[in-house]
Amino acid sequence: MAIPYAKLPSWAELGVMPAVNVIAGFVVAGIVVAFIGENPAKAMLILIDGALGSLNNIFYTLFYATSFVFTGLAVAVAFHAGLFNIGGEGQAYVGGLGVALVCLALDHYLPWWIVAPLAIVASALFGAAWAFIPGWLQAKRGSHIVITTIMFNFIASSMMVYLLVYWLKPLSAMGPSSRLFEAGGQIPQFSGMLKAMGVAAGSAPANLTLFLALAAAWGVWKLVWRTKFGYEMRTFGFSPTAATYAGISSVRITVLAMLISGGLAGMMAVNNMMGNVHKLDIDFVFGAGFVGIAVALMGRSHPVGVVLSALLFGVLYQGGAELSFSMPSISRDMILVIQALVILFAGALENLFRPLMYFIVPAPTPVKEAA
Amino acid sequence: MDLAIVYSILDSSVRLTAPILLACLGGLYSERSGVFDIGIEGKMLFSAFAAGAVAWHSGSAWLGLGAAVLVGIAFSLLHGYASITQRGNQIISGVAINFLAAGLTALLGKAWYGQGGKTPQLANEARFTSLTLPGADAVKDVPFLGPLYSGIVSGHSILVYVAFFAVPFTWWVLFRTRFGLRLRAVGENPAAVDTAGISVVWLRYAGVTICGVFAGLAGAYLAIAQSANFAPNMSAGTGFIALAALIFAKWNPVGALGATFLFGFLQALAIPLQGAQIPGLGWQVPVQAITASPYILTVILLAGFIGKAIPPKAGGVAYVKER
């Protein structure tokens, strides 16, 4: 993957370029807002206030951010191995099945702090299993991982609807969802904990899973930059031929990277199912698997970047919901538009503003011959 | 099963095949030129919105179709700019276009028309309604062949006939014209095409532009032929089924007809099978299994268990001219 561009100093490469690309996305989003006939600056203020204006709002923002850290890390890990895992949505969905099975079986008997670790393991295993097949098919049979993971998203959705409608739905329920988890299947929310201490903090769903997400981010950093496997993975992602020549097994890297990626995506289910809705239903993933793509691209696949951009998308999701109340003409679809623009500018058009940078940054290193 | 039911399933198969076929042929031009396009779904959605909105404001289905094609081309050029000129990641660009379409059409639809994102209901004059082919009524009572002609071949909107006619046309363009030869070559070995003095960039832009035209036709079909308005996310994965069909067809136009008809037939089959029982066993047929079958079939095919699907060799890779 030789890029025929001169490398910028690292502060520009890692700090300024992503910021410029994200700002470009937001400028275009602002133009869309103006086009609809609303004031973009006012919309921005409402959005920020909606996301960070009160403790309750902040907890909502953190709740969304928690989910996005998992799915963002999932995409990032696969990126390091040169794989584009678009299947986070399906892997999170199937991960939810693992959570549901553990919670439905044990929530009557055991306290949440025993059920939760088991559910986390189950979610990771189920998510990893769903990512294993595309990974194995890519490694062994050469089928393109992008296409297979897209197909697996659709297959996951059909399978989960089938399971919900025919197996997991209680007879009394109207919609396709499992029964509600008892106390043993509920992870404590920050708002509830503060309430117990006498602080009014609303009823936002941010919960202890946040710390699991941060631990996962640390774990990914450790894995990618401080282990032999991480080194092999990055080598393989940078140049598969060089990796093969160095004796690194492409099958092992591809399959393991996809297992880790799928496991991370699957854990997203814990946050929303045990921390918020307390059941398995059709739309608990709410597109978080796809947001992960934008989060990973914007965070340049580094855990710190992923956590920061997950936070930004948390702000967008929560603030966007508030915005659609205050400005009814700006519906929540605006979030999807911004998400798309971030993917476009930070991903596909990442080199668009690069020539501009050469004016600002003195004396770039000379262009290396593209191999 | 009753013969009438068979006819009605085949009839709806034809209707459901048309948009998949149009999208699939569009993808064929793009991918044969070496530009992967997973943004077809999004372009269809944008085009459907343009068709629904313009047909409503102008009262003309043809203007709606024109708008759909223009919008399809515009977003193809965006994809082309990102992946050919900027040499960005083609898959990421396609993903971005899909999300942009899902978000922007719903956002604008809700802001402008206030009907939950739908465009206003169209009168029949502003739509492509069913055509009755000559002689369809006359032969209706001829046993077997009569209903086949009047019920299945006749009675579709003009875009359905365009879709099916586009199959031999595409075959002719790809395999019998100079442009087609070059288009196929640039998807396999752009360096050779470049050495021969033919512009790789121009050919690839041509490929993605034609893809935009087809995505436009497919989107227009959804909004102003199959339905009478645009609704958010109305493409509902058709673009992805088309991509699957393209792989199934091994990037061949005649294969595309077979693959898309198979997938259209499976979709048509899911409707009457809803809640039906497998005779003798008393099991209910899970509709979800039929809905998922195109995707499962594609995965199995991609894995090389039923024949090998080999994509154009230079697909997905930007061309960097040698200096």
Side-chain angles (χ1 to χ4, degrees), chain A residues 161-241:
Chain A
V161 171
Y162 167 75
L163 288 175
L164 275 167
V165 169
Y166 288 88
W167 298 99
L168 292 166
K169 183 173 81 90
L171 286 174
S172 56
M174 296 291 286
S177 75
S178 76
R179 71 165 170 81
L180 281 176
F181 302 156
E182 302 290 322
Q186 304 187 358
I187 292 179
Q189 299 175 344
F190 297 138
S191 49
M193 293 153 98
L194 285 177
K195 214 171 277 167
M197 287 190 277
V199 184
S203 56
N207 58 77
L208 291 175
T209 319
L210 174 65
F211 297 110
L212 178 69
L214 294 176
W218 180 82
V220 166
W221 173 79
K222 194 88 181 155
L223 174 86
V224 173
W225 280 280
R226 288 293 180 273
T227 65
K228 183 162 166 275
F229 174 72
Y231 177 75
E232 291 178 346
M233 197 165 77
R234 282 181 295 135
T235 311
F236 181 76
F238 194 75
S239 168
T241 36

Side-chain angles (χ1 to χ4, degrees), chain B residues 68-262:
Chain B
V69 168
L70 285 181
V71 165
I73 292 175
F75 282 96
S76 274
L77 290 179
L78 175 68
H79 182 61
Y81 177 72
S83 44
I84 303 167
T85 306
Q86 285 287 327
R87 299 187 214 123
N89 186 319
Q90 301 175 2
I91 286 156
I92 294 177
S93 163
V95 169
I97 288 173
N98 284 338
F99 290 141
L100 197 59
L104 207 53
T105 53
L107 180 73
L108 293 179
K110 283 174 193 168
W112 287 345
Y113 304 105
Q115 300 175 3
K118 289 183 180 167
T119 60
Q121 193 81 18
L122 295 171
N124 271 344
E125 299 80 62
R127 292 179 56 217
F128 291 109
T129 47
S130 321
L131 304 173
T132 308
L133 294 188
D137 289 328
V139 298
K140 208 188 226 155
D141 299 324
V142 178
F144 196 69
L145 284 179
L148 201 68
Y149 180 71
S150 67
I152 298 167
V153 178
S154 168
H156 297 288
S157 75
I158 186 158
L159 290 175
V160 173
Y161 301 107
V162 169
F164 283 93
F165 175 73
V167 173
F169 177 74
T170 300
W171 178 85
W172 177 77
V173 168
L174 277 181
F175 298 106
R176 288 293 178 273
T177 67
R178 187 185 341 202
F179 170 74
L181 176 69
R182 290 174 174 179
L183 194 77
R184 283 183 291 133
V186 83
E188 297 291 337
N189 190 345
V193 175
D194 200 20
T195 311
I198 306 157
S199 166
V200 173
V201 169
W202 188 88
L203 273 171
R204 288 195 165 167
Y205 267 108
V208 294
T209 307
I210 300 172
C211 174
V213 173
F214 275 98
L217 293 174
Y221 176 79
L222 292 181
I224 60 177
Q226 203 173 40
S227 328
N229 60 359
F230 167 84
N233 201 23
M234 76 184 310
S235 51
T238 310
F240 291 116
I241 295 207
L243 280 183
L246 186 57
I247 297 163
F248 228 77
K250 299 177 182 173
W251 291 268
N252 180 304
V254 182
L257 177 65
T260 52
F261 194 81
L262 172 68

Side-chain angles (χ1 to χ4, degrees), chain A residues 70-87:
Chain A
F70 285 120
T71 53
L73 287 173
V75 178
V77 166
F79 269 150
H80 280 294
L83 303 163
F84 192 0
N85 177 12
I86 308 193

Side-chain angles (χ1 to χ4, degrees), chain A residues 334-351:
Chain A
M334 190 70 211
I335 304 166
L336 205 56
V337 174
I338 298 179
Q339 182 186 332
L341 291 168
V342 166
I343 296 177
L344 189 66
F345 283 103
L349 294 174
E350 62 173 339
N351 294 320

Side-chain angles (χ1 to χ4, degrees), chain A residues 50-140:
Chain A
L52 307 168
S54 74
L55 202 55
N56 189 42
N57 296 3
I58 291 175
F59 279 159
Y60 265 106
T61 301
L62 287 178
F63 165 72
Y64 289 122
T66 307
S67 291
F68 301 151
V69 170
F70 285 120
T71 53
L73 287 173
V75 178
V77 166
F79 269 150
H80 280 294
L83 303 163
F84 192 0
N85 177 12
I86 308 193
E89 190 80 4
Q91 288 143 18
Y93 214 158
V94 176
L97 182 63
V99 175
L101 292 180
V102 169
C103 287
L104 292 174
L106 302 175
D107 62 350
H108 281 291
Y109 315 107
L110 296 170
W112 70 267
W113 46 269
I114 299 180
V115 177
L118 293 172
I120 291 164
V121 171
S123 69
L125 283 178
F126 275 68
W130 201 248
F132 169 77
I133 313 168
W136 185 82
L137 288 175
Q138 155 106 19
K140 281 284 195 188

Side-chain angles (χ1 to χ4, degrees), chain A residues 12 17 31 37 44 63 81 131 142-143 159 201-202 205 216-217 239 278 282 286-287 328 339 342 356 361 365:
Chain A
M17 286 303 296
I31 295 172
M44 196 73 185
F63 165 72
S143 32
M159 184 183 82
S239 168
H278 303 138
I282 291 190
F286 66 88
Q339 182 186 332
V342 166
L356 276 179
V361 180
T365 48

